[in-house]
């Protein structure tokens, strides 16, 4: 029945596009008759087309809490704070039928610690098409907003992009990468969309998700992680309260953060500042083994250790944390295989 419906939809599209006139020896009268018959059939199954073209409906947008939790536990390494926050924040927000405002997450930490990875996990467990969904929108500062002289134009464009996409689908996701390279003041242009408004010009933004990714604040996070390590404490003892306030202040006062002096922080519109801790040697090994598994390769701890040893660590004398996290392991693994 499923295949029959698919064929009917395709034929309906063919007839409606006018291509039926080019098919011989079908006459115009027969084509019109077919169109009428198909119209009647589709009227009996009004939701058929929704299964073949992505739209803003539960068939395409449905949160998989178990899937996200498994991904965070099994694929994100060394990030116990981020794992807990992301799981609770996303689950609580998506399952709230009437949120008061959009979900706003600001992810901070050095490169290769998992910020982009987590954004992808959220998308994959919320949208059927994952990162390829037409409702997931990624902005990269150096690509979309490169020139300081055009900041006013960027502000207007950004507002229009967000308004247009949320109008199209209330459950849209916006990911802002490289926030530390964004023009200061630009992000303030979307402040009204993140605030506690039921509607703005007839549009509700309360079910949208905004995620900011930034290296800013990485120094403060690393400093805290080093202090715990020097004190002989386990990194899992680090709590959100040890970092969140200092992290938000560090980002707010950093001219290179993209969130410098922003009203989003001043007005408490960022729901969570999520710290991503620097990764240790053992975490890099876990990343390599996970990449092997993703490629259907036999896990080889010998090769995983070789890849991990090739990376640069800091402080230089102790070699505690990977300078690039897990970011370069794919190319390193290619070399060894």
């Amino acid at each position: 029945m499923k295949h029959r419906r698919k064929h009917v939809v395709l034929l309906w599209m063919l007839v409606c596009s006018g291509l039926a006139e080019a098919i011989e020896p079908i006459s115009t009268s027969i084509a019109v008759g077919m169109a009428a018959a198909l119209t009647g059939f589709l009227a009996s199954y009004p939701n058929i087309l929704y299964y073949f073209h992505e739209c803003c409906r539960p068939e395409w947008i449905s949160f998989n809490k178990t899937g996200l939790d498994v991904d965070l536990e099994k694929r994100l390494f060394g990030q116990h704070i981020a794992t807990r926050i992301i799981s609770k924040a996303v689950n609580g927000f998506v399952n709230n039928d009437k949120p008061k405002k959009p979900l706003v997450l600001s992810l901070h930490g050095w490169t290769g610690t998992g910020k982009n990875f987590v954004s992808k996990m959220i998308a994959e467990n919320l949208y059927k098409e994952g990162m390829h969904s037409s409702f997931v929108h990624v902005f990269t500062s150096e690509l979309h907003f490169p020139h300081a002289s055009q900041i006013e134009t960027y502000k207007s464009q950004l507002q229009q992009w967000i308004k247009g996409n949320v109008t199209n689908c209330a459950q849209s996701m916006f990911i802002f990468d490289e926030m530390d390279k964004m023009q200061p003041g630009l992000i303030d242009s979307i402040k009204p969309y993140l605030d506690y408004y039921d509607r703005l010009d007839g549009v509700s933004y309360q079910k949208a998700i905004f995620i900011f990714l930034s290296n800013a604040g990485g120094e403060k996070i690393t400093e805290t992680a080093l202090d715990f390590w020097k004190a002989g404490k386990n990194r899992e003892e680090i709590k959100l309260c040890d970092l969140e306030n200092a992290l938000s202040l560090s980002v707010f006062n950093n001219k290179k953060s993209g969130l410098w002096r922003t009203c989003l922080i001043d007005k408490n519109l960022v729901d969570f500042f999520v710290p991503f801790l620097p990764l240790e040697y053992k975490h890099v090994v876990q990343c390599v083994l996970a990449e092997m598994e993703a490629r259907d390769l036999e896990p080889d701890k010998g090769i995983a250790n070789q890849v991990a040893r090739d990376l640069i660590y800091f402080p230089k004398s102790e070699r505690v944390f990977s300078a690039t996290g897990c970011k370069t392991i794919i190319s390193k693994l290619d070399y060894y295989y």
Side-chain angles (χ1 to χ4, degrees):
M1 187 64 179
K2 181 178 179 181
H3 294 297
R4 179 186 174 189
R5 291 180 181 178
K6 183 175 181 180
H7 293 155
V8 169
V9 171
L10 291 175
L11 185 54
W12 168 249
M13 294 171 65
L14 184 66
V15 172
C16 290
S17 66
L19 293 178
E21 296 180 3
I23 301 176
E24 295 295 346
I26 298 178
S27 67
T28 302
S29 59
I30 295 177
V32 171
M34 290 175 59
L38 289 173
T39 299
F41 179 82
L42 290 175
S44 302
Y45 297 95
N47 294 329
I48 280 182
L49 292 178
Y50 295 133
Y51 289 95
F52 301 102
H53 178 71
E54 186 184 27
C55 52
C56 191
R57 290 172 55 90
E59 291 89 349
W60 296 91
I61 304 176
S62 180
F63 180 53
N64 183 355
K65 179 184 183 301
T66 301
L68 179 60
D69 287 343
V70 169
D71 282 346
L72 290 169
E73 290 293 336
K74 302 295 185 182
R75 301 169 62 196
L76 183 66
F77 305 113
Q79 304 298 351
H80 65 284
I81 300 176
T83 294
R84 189 177 303 115
I85 297 174
I86 297 299
S87 175
K88 292 185 176 181
V90 176
N91 182 54
F93 176 77
V94 175
N95 287 312
N96 184 352
D97 292 333
K98 295 182 179 180
K100 299 296 184 182
K101 64 180 290 296
L103 176 63
V104 183
L105 304 173
S106 193
L107 315 187
H108 298 267
W110 289 129
T111 182
T113 52
K115 302 184 298 297
N116 278 287
F117 198 27
V118 163
S119 301
K120 181 180 178 183
M121 288 179 185
I122 296 173
E124 288 177 341
N125 288 287
L126 183 55
Y127 303 94
K128 186 176 180 180
E129 297 293 302
M131 290 296 292
H132 298 293
S133 171
S134 58
F135 308 125
V136 177
H137 313 280
V138 181
F139 299 98
T140 303
S141 296
E142 291 191 323
L143 175 63
H144 295 99
F145 319 110
H147 307 296
S149 60
Q150 298 182 29
I151 187 170
E152 294 305 318
T153 299
Y154 296 150
K155 285 182 179 181
S156 177
Q157 289 176 340
L158 187 54
Q159 290 175 337
Q160 292 173 16
W161 287 335
I162 292 176
K163 181 179 180 179
N165 283 298
V166 175
T167 300
N168 183 44
C169 183
Q171 291 177 281
S172 293
M173 178 186 292
F174 301 91
I175 301 172
F176 292 83
D177 199 2
E178 300 179 344
M179 280 295 296
D180 47 302
K181 299 175 183 177
M182 180 173 281
Q183 307 296 340
L186 174 56
I187 202 64
D188 282 346
S189 65
I190 69 170
K191 182 262 183 187
Y193 308 138
L194 309 187
D195 215 330
Y196 293 82
Y197 295 113
D198 289 336
R199 288 182 179 275
L200 291 171
D201 293 331
V203 180
S204 173
Y205 298 85
Q206 294 169 319
K207 291 189 175 182
I209 296 176
F210 292 82
I211 302 177
F212 304 135
L213 311 180
S214 178
N215 291 344
E219 299 90 344
K220 190 65 182 177
I221 297 170
T222 299
E223 179 184 321
T224 301
L226 272 173
D227 288 342
F228 271 72
W229 179 79
K230 291 177 180 177
K233 297 180 180 179
N234 193 309
R235 69 188 280 128
E236 279 69 31
E237 295 181 53
I238 303 175
K239 299 177 181 179
L240 179 61
C241 60
D242 295 317
L243 285 165
E244 190 171 36
N245 289 337
L247 179 57
S248 62
L249 285 173
S250 173
V251 172
F252 184 76
N253 292 312
N254 185 346
K255 291 184 178 181
K256 296 181 180 181
S257 76
L259 292 170
W260 178 63
R261 302 294 182 186
T262 177
C263 61
L264 304 189
I265 297 178
D266 194 40
K267 299 297 183 180
N268 299 309
L269 298 180
V270 177
D271 297 299
F272 292 98
F273 288 91
V274 187
F276 281 70
L277 302 173
L279 299 183
E280 300 175 9
Y281 180 92
K282 62 182 179 181
H283 303 127
V284 177
V285 172
Q286 289 177 304
C287 287
V288 180
L289 292 173
E291 179 63 20
M292 290 179 180
E293 183 178 349
R295 299 187 187 189
D296 294 324
L297 299 172
E298 187 69 26
D300 189 321
K301 289 188 176 181
I303 291 180
N305 278 288
Q306 281 184 299
V307 173
R309 281 195 298 267
D310 270 358
L311 302 186
I312 298 173
Y313 294 83
F314 67 94
K316 288 184 178 181
S317 55
E318 293 90 352
R319 288 174 55 85
V320 181
F321 301 122
S322 170
T324 56
C326 288
K327 191 167 187 177
T328 61
I329 64 167
I330 293 178
S331 57
K332 296 284 186 184
L333 188 57
D334 289 337
Y335 171 77
Y336 282 105
Y337 268 97

